[in-house]
Amino acid sequence: MADLSTNFLGIKSPNPFWLASAPPTDKAYNVERAFEAGWGGVVWKTLGEAGPPVVNVNGPRYGAIWGPDRRLLGLNNIELITDRDLEINLREITEVKKRWPDRAMIVSIMVPCEEQSWKAILPRVEDTGADGIELNFGCPHGMSERGMGAAVGQVPEYIRMVAEWCKQYSKLPVIVKLTPNITDIRYPARAAKAGGADAVSLINTISSIVSVDLDNFAPMPTIDGKGSHGGYCGPAVKPIALNMVAEIARDPETRGLPISGIGGVSTWRDAAEFIALGCGTVQVCTAAMTYGFKIVQEMAQGLSDWMDEKGYATIADFQSRAVPNVTDWQYLNLNYVTKAKIDQDLCIKCGRCHIACEDTSHQAITSTVDGVRYFEVMEDECVGCNLCVNVCPIDDCITMVRMTDGADPRTGKPIDPDYANWTTHPNNPMARQAAE
Amino acid sequence: MTMAETTGVKAKRLSDAEYADNFSDIHPLLTAHEALVEADRCYFCYDAPCMTACPTSIDIPMFIRKIQAGNPVGSAKTIFEQNILGGMCARVCPTETLCEEACVRETAEGKPVKIGQLQRYATDTYMSRELPHPFKRAAATGKKVAVVGAGPAGLSCAHRLAMHGHDVVIYEARPKPGGLNEYGIASYKATNNFAQREIEWLMQIGGIELKLGQRLGTDISVESLAESHDAVFIGIGLSSAYTLNIPGSDLPGVEAAIDFIARLRQAEDKSTLPVGQDVVVIGGGMTAVDAAVQSKLLGARTVSLVYRRSREQMPASRYEQELAAAHGVHLVFNAKPVRISGANAVESVEFEYTRQDGANLVGTGETVEIPANQVLAAIGQWMEAEVGELELDGTTLARTPENRSPMPYPNVWVGGDCAHGGEDLTVVAVEDGKIAAENIHKTLMA
Ligand SMILES: Cc1cc2nc3c(=O)[nH]c(=O)nc-3n(C[C@H](O)[C@H](O)[C@H](O)COP(=O)(O)OP(=O)(O)OC[C@H]3O[C@@H](n4cnc5c(N)ncnc54)[C@H](O)[C@@H]3O)c2cc1C
Ligand SMILES: Cc1cc2nc3c(=O)[nH]c(=O)nc-3n(C[C@H](O)[C@H](O)[C@H](O)COP(=O)(O)O)c2cc1C
Ligand code: SF4
Ligand code: SF4
Ligand code: SF4
């Protein structure tokens, strides 16, 4: 049985599955239920300053997009940080941590970008017995308009400054939660590191309008005829999160900085992917909000079974294994030639591969052979793009097969076993210049 | 209950609730949720096999995609463009041998997309909202076309002609239009007077005059119609049943299954319909299955469906056979009737077992006697009509691939069950009428 336990910045948890700071972690009731279900840790719903708490809208706060059978693919929200009194939150955090000493308890914080505000709240949080803090620099709505959340996360100098205050006024490990609403995620990550942060977590939600009500002509969710942009999360954002995680993991300036991966984690496989790209833990919000806390059991069991199958005894055994394989386009091997191959026993003859290739790609798949409906790849036209694989409704029916000898029937060029990339390609003007 | 034990041929064998339940919709309309879940299963296939398998070539992936996209009204328009009786076809098509048999999800997991039920969802949605008729007539052409027979073939032809701007007169022998939609189809397939409601809706196109009680051969003739109209379409179906030609077939209690069914379809109150305690149905097609199942639903104690050939050769689909079995109908294969016995009315039918000897069906000499006080013969129909000099092909009307009747009349088209090669399917009759209308239009406008 694989050992799923993690040690992230010295914070121990029985498994790498944490609940992200969000409604599932807003109060003791939820967090207790989460721990009972088996979650390894939680990041408590973001706390604000002492005094009257923020207020949420009283109308709908979520919008969504769905896949077939109304499977929720992307969720959008206009919720703010906790709308409960600071004192109640601190008391509950203390009590829950006491009852569940083996689980990770991280407290998310967002206060105004002034030294005094941070200096005031940090000791209060430390007193709860929590294991660490997460700085919410990510919320794209509501708080950023007040100069907090994403408004800070978008300015690397602020990130650095706040991280420094936190390290100065608290002994707790500091995780900086990054907003994806920027052009290059490496800059805020570098700033966090420079400020002394122990780790980054990402991504927070993505600024979004999830849909427009065509009767009332207003964004959804609509509050009394108006809507505002919200934060997007759920399975749809996973690819964006994975890329940002990878960017940080392989950036020479931040390489080795611990990462807690967030964004669309819904199954054990998603978690394994984040970990393979360098994450030490993963955080989950939407999947729990869609199905409840029990899903952690599928995640933990699935990860454990996969690790057993692959012979990984601990999380560390496969953590970051994919990082060296993330590269820039220009270093991809241009001598690597693949052709799509259709397994005729699995093919159900829906014709989607044909029409996708015919209308939008390279006209490389037949629709009939000898007058009979038959889908077959014409290797002399196939550029190996993988589109057909992605549109085929049957798992493993179309696969990409590497050519190892002979010549590419499309180009007539012999298969070259050696690696060669764009930097030295004769068509590359830069390479031509260098050669001249 | 002792009523079921009542011997002979009797009405009121069941309670009112049982009648109501037995003759309710066999596949109730999908709810919006069910329709969306099912529509999501469609892959939007290229050159979709289901579409090829539909005799009227409905763009199935497109109509299902429109349901998915929240546009059932647009979906229905896609259906009606190819099949104006798409509502009835959604209810009566043996989809398991047509579109759904071809569906790639049948190949993938043995569970085709429920195309028929989705088609019903779309068309019912359209017809239940008080929307304008989906088609407008083209500018009047001044041409006049006679359509004989208001069954699916004639109605489809008339609608398409009216759409193209021609004036149409339908001549129908019976007091109600609809053909077998009204008099033949099993009652649990088209409940709530659907056949008449659909015809009223279809007639909204305008330009179609319906003349009831007009029989070809008696009240009108091919010759006079061909003379007084620019074109004539004949879609009179096969209205007469073949009769059993064995001793005892004239005994009271023996009748044609289609007559029994027509009576059943016309009865407002099913409890007034007499049915035998023991019923024997002879035949192997959809009519035989429908007669057997509906006898059972009327409260018959035993119903035997006897077919002279093997199960594999039975024209009724496997689904229809299972439907019969599920209703408690006893299916007997490889047995042909040799004699019907009884003192004053039928009491039993004697069958001889058969086997296939090359192309021939031969009796084995072994016999079996099945008790019966009602015998329904469903051994086929033929066209009993005075069709003038129209050319025949065997017992049905000869036709060209354009559904034109060969000489001597240059302006007569034919289609549906009465035309040669008719497939005994509503949807095929609809397609025949449509093809004929398109060709009539082309000819008249040339
Ligand atoms: C009991 C039964 C059940 C069936 N069930 C199904 C089913 O579930 N699904 C399916 O797809 N198919 C079914 N069929 C077959 C289907 O009903 C027919 O294929 C279809 O109705 C043929 O249409 P049509 O227009 O050619 O003929 P019909 O429907 O027979 O219509 C012909 C019309 O012409 C009229 N007519 C006849 N003679 C004259 C005349 N001399 N002058 C003027 N008018 C005349 C008739 O009164 C009738 O209105 C069934 C058939 C039967 C008998
Ligand atoms: C309703 C809602 C409220 C959220 N509130 C917070 C918050 O208070 N603080 C925070 O750091 N992130 C907040 N988030 C962001 C999540 O913690 C998480 O980063 C994001 O949802 C992506 O993860 P997911 O795809 O698993 O949902 C919120 C998300 C949702 C859906
Ligand atoms: S999820 Fe609960 S709180 Fe939210 S709208 Fe529904 S019932 Fe109300
Ligand atoms: S998409 Fe897949 S299943 Fe469909 S025809 Fe192509 S190979 Fe066959
Ligand atoms: S064959 Fe099936 S899956 Fe394909 S378009 Fe037709 S109904 Fe949809």
Side-chain angles (χ1 to χ4, degrees):
Chain A
M1 260 275 284
D3 176 6
L4 296 187
S5 68
T6 53
N7 182 340
F8 188 76
L9 320 175
I11 305 165
K12 297 203 169 96
S13 61
N15 63 49
F17 303 105
W18 293 1
L19 282 169
S21 171
T25 63
D26 192 29
K27 51 186 178 314
Y29 179 82
N30 305 71
V31 173
E32 296 259 8
R33 287 173 66 86
F35 286 161
E36 277 158 23
W39 290 88
V42 300
V43 183
W44 201 274
K45 171 79 181 171
T46 307
L47 307 183
E49 292 194 286
V54 302
V55 293
N56 271 302
V57 294
N58 294 302
R61 33 183 116 155
Y62 302 115
I65 65 161
W66 299 273
D69 210 358
R70 235 177 115 89
R71 185 167 284 252
L72 191 131
L73 296 183
L75 184 71
N76 156 290
N77 82 88
I78 53 168
E79 183 178 278
L80 305 183
I81 62 172
T82 185
D83 53 13
R84 302 193 318 144
D85 186 74
L86 178 65
E87 302 305 324
I88 296 175
N89 274 310
L90 292 173
R91 196 167 63 234
E92 289 186 2
I93 292 168
T94 315
E95 287 164 8
V96 175
K97 179 64 204 179
K98 212 173 278 159
R99 273 201 291 278
W100 298 87
D102 69 324
R103 308 301 168 95
M105 171 68 77
I106 314 295
V107 177
S108 171
I109 311 174
M110 182 196 289
V111 292
C113 210
E114 292 149 12
E115 191 168 359
Q116 195 47 46
S117 302
W118 289 90
K119 200 173 164 183
I121 196 165
L122 288 166
R124 304 288 323 273
V125 171
E126 213 172 303
D127 287 347
T128 62
D131 302 299
I133 57 172
E134 187 179 80
L135 315 187
N136 179 355
F137 291 157
C139 187
H141 50 263
M143 304 311 292
S144 51
E145 290 85 337
R146 305 175 201 194
M148 292 184 265
V152 179
Q154 285 162 343
V155 185
E157 294 74 28
Y158 291 171
I159 294 179
R160 179 180 176 154
M161 183 175 73
V162 177
E164 281 169 351
W165 292 336
C166 291
K167 287 309 287 181
Q168 187 180 344
Y169 298 116
S170 169
K171 295 191 296 291
L172 292 178
V174 174
I175 305 169
V176 171
K177 184 166 179 177
L178 302 178
T179 174
N181 301 314
I182 41 112
T183 25
D184 190 338
I185 196 70
R186 291 173 301 180
Y187 290 89
R190 287 170 189 163
K193 191 178 178 195
D198 301 281
V200 289
S201 58
L202 69 159
I203 56 174
N204 209 312
T205 56
I206 304 173
S207 288
S208 61
I209 288 179
V210 82
S211 60
V212 175
D213 179 334
L214 289 178
D215 293 323
N216 303 313
F217 290 105
M220 306 260 262
T222 307
I223 311 278
D224 194 19
K226 307 271 185 228
S228 137
H229 73 90
Y232 197 44
C233 49
V237 311
K238 183 185 113 181
I240 297 163
L242 283 178
N243 175 49
M244 291 186 164
V245 164
E247 287 291 284
I248 295 169
R250 69 193 189 94
D251 177 19
E253 292 190 38
T254 51
R255 187 171 292 158
L257 180 67
I259 305 173
S260 184
I262 320 170
V265 175
S266 310
T267 66
W268 70 268
R269 181 179 290 275
D270 301 324
E273 290 174 16
F274 273 93
I275 295 169
L277 281 175
C279 296
T281 64
V282 293
Q283 298 183 28
V284 177
C285 168
T286 305
M289 291 186 69
T290 312
Y291 304 109
F293 292 142
K294 192 174 154 185
I295 53 160
V296 71
Q297 293 158 19
E298 168 271 310
M299 293 179 176
Q301 187 69 50
L303 186 61
S304 169
D305 290 345
W306 172 76
M307 287 169 64
D308 287 347
E309 189 188 316
K310 296 284 179 182
Y312 301 125
T314 68
I315 299 283
D317 286 354
F318 73 96
Q319 187 184 356
S320 304
R321 289 277 287 257
V323 177
N325 295 328
V326 183
T327 185
D328 293 335
W329 188 92
Q330 59 191 347
Y331 301 118
L332 297 175
N333 183 3
L334 294 174
N335 285 339
Y336 180 80
V337 178
T338 59
K339 300 288 173 188
K341 187 165 175 37
I342 298 176
D343 182 337
Q344 296 298 338
D345 291 336
L346 291 178
C347 174
I348 59 169
K349 299 191 166 56
C350 69
R352 279 165 62 159
C353 55
H354 164 82
I355 200 61
C357 192
E358 189 70 16
D359 278 357
T360 72
S361 289
H362 300 87
Q363 298 76 48
I365 300 182
T366 62
S367 60
T368 53
V369 173
D370 299 332
V372 179
R373 187 174 178 86
Y374 197 81
F375 301 93
E376 189 173 56
V377 175
M378 294 175 268
E379 297 202 336
D380 54 343
E381 300 292 345
C382 174
V383 302
C385 75
N386 210 34
L387 177 65
C388 54
V389 172
N390 291 313
V391 302
C392 176
I394 304 292
D395 230 15
D396 290 332
C397 174
I398 312 182
T399 45
M400 300 306 296
V401 181
R402 180 179 190 174
M403 291 192 69
T404 49
D405 47 34
D408 179 345
R410 181 175 67 90
T411 58
K413 287 202 189 122
I415 300 295
D416 186 342
D418 293 334
Y419 164 88
N421 66 40
W422 176 244
T423 59
T424 55
H425 196 277
N427 289 13
N428 181 348
M430 314 287 265
R432 269 208 305 275
Q433 257 170 29
E436 273 159 17
Chain B
M1 204 169 62
T2 54
M3 258 193 276
E5 285 151 28
T6 311
T7 52
V9 182
K10 297 266 155 63
K12 293 207 186 301
R13 288 183 181 273
L14 307 171
S15 70
D16 288 350
E18 283 169 314
Y19 281 113
D21 194 39
N22 287 355
F23 290 93
S24 64
D25 218 328
I26 182 165
H27 293 301
L29 176 63
L30 297 182
T31 63
H33 168 73
E34 288 170 320
L36 284 176
V37 170
E38 194 57 26
D40 273 344
R41 295 185 62 231
C42 174
Y43 289 139
F44 199 72
C45 296
Y46 164 73
D47 189 15
C50 54
M51 187 172 162
T52 312
C54 170
T56 54
S57 309
I58 293 175
D59 191 341
I60 294 165
M62 185 56 80
F63 96 68
I64 297 180
R65 190 176 164 84
K66 288 180 178 177
I67 295 176
Q68 262 173 24
N71 183 11
V73 166
S75 173
K77 286 185 197 159
T78 301
I79 295 163
F80 293 139
E81 268 166 28
Q82 291 297 331
N83 183 336
I84 196 64
L85 296 181
M88 183 58 86
C89 287
R91 290 162 163 79
V92 306
C93 275
T95 51
E96 67 280 2
T97 60
L98 297 168
C99 52
E100 290 179 19
E101 182 179 50
C103 175
V104 301
R105 295 204 79 143
E106 170 66 29
T107 318
E109 69 242 19
K111 285 197 184 66
V113 173
K114 292 177 186 158
I115 301 168
Q117 295 198 48
L118 287 172
Q119 179 170 323
R120 168 142 180 220
Y121 174 77
T123 51
D124 273 22
T125 302
Y126 193 101
M127 291 168 70
S128 67
R129 299 192 187 166
E130 303 212 328
L131 294 166
H133 191 74
F135 303 101
K136 288 224 155 37
R137 290 192 71 191
T141 61
K143 306 280 182 192
K144 209 168 162 191
V145 185
V147 168
V148 188
L155 291 167
S156 153
C157 184
H159 184 273
R160 187 56 67 119
L161 287 167
M163 213 170 97
H164 285 316
H166 309 298
D167 286 326
V168 184
V169 185
I170 302 183
Y171 299 90
E172 164 59 50
R174 299 187 95 140
K176 273 188 191 174
L180 293 170
N181 285 0
E182 175 61 35
Y183 293 95
I185 294 298
S187 46
Y188 45 80
K189 290 184 186 169
T191 56
N192 289 328
N193 205 20
F194 183 74
Q196 294 309 312
R197 286 193 285 128
E198 186 180 44
I199 294 166
E200 264 167 43
W201 174 85
L202 176 150
M203 299 290 277
Q204 288 172 4
I205 182 88
I208 305 176
E209 188 191 345
L210 184 58
K211 291 193 169 167
L212 298 169
Q214 301 288 308
R215 179 172 296 276
L216 188 70
T218 318
D219 309 295
I220 42 176
S221 70
V222 178
E223 200 166 15
S224 65
L225 290 176
E227 243 173 60
S228 53
H229 295 75
D230 295 293
V232 180
F233 174 78
I234 301 193
I236 53 177
L238 303 175
S239 53
S240 295
Y242 285 110
T243 45
L244 290 166
N245 212 354
I246 51 171
S249 49
D250 50 358
L251 278 170
V254 182
E255 73 175 319
I258 55 165
D259 294 340
F260 166 75
I261 290 172
R263 208 163 57 235
L264 185 122
R265 281 296 306 273
Q266 296 309 305
E268 295 249 342
D269 179 359
K270 305 286 185 246
S271 75
T272 62
L273 288 169
V275 69
Q277 174 184 266
D278 300 306
V279 178
V280 165
V281 180
I282 299 168
M286 205 132 42
T287 306
V289 169
D290 286 358
V293 170
Q294 292 181 107
S295 306
K296 197 76 192 152
L297 295 177
L298 284 175
R301 187 178 64 182
T302 72
V303 177
S304 309
L305 173 53
V306 189
Y307 178 50
R308 61 195 173 117
R309 297 178 194 275
S310 68
R311 182 191 275 277
E312 289 66 40
Q313 289 164 298
M314 194 174 196
S317 70
R318 201 47 179 241
Y319 168 83
E320 298 276 345
Q321 294 173 27
E322 278 162 18
L323 181 82
H327 278 90
V329 172
H330 180 213
L331 295 158
V332 181
F333 298 98
N334 282 106
K336 62 172 186 192
V338 288
R339 182 187 345 274
I340 301 177
S341 326
N344 303 312
V346 51
E347 283 167 20
S348 71
V349 190
E350 186 184 334
F351 291 89
E352 180 185 7
Y353 284 112
T354 66
R355 65 182 166 78
Q356 202 70 38
D357 185 8
N360 299 327
L361 190 72
V362 294
T364 63
E366 203 186 336
T367 61
V368 61
E369 185 105 6
I370 303 182
N373 18 57
Q374 189 170 22
V375 175
L376 301 172
I379 53 172
Q381 287 114 249
W382 55 292
M383 184 186 66
E384 185 193 27
E386 182 44 62
V387 292
E389 291 178 26
L390 284 186
E391 191 179 320
L392 295 182
D393 188 337
T395 57
T396 47
L397 296 172
R399 61 168 149 181
T400 69
E402 289 79 37
N403 276 3
R404 202 165 181 159
S405 172
M407 288 302 168
Y409 307 106
N411 59 344
V412 175
W413 277 258
V414 299
D417 282 358
C418 67
H420 183 70
E423 283 186 52
D424 197 19
L425 289 173
T426 308
V427 65
V428 171
V430 171
E431 180 67 3
D432 274 354
K434 183 175 98 187
I435 292 176
E438 292 297 350
N439 285 306
I440 291 171
H441 176 62
K442 222 184 288 166
T443 308
L444 294 186
M445 302 316 282

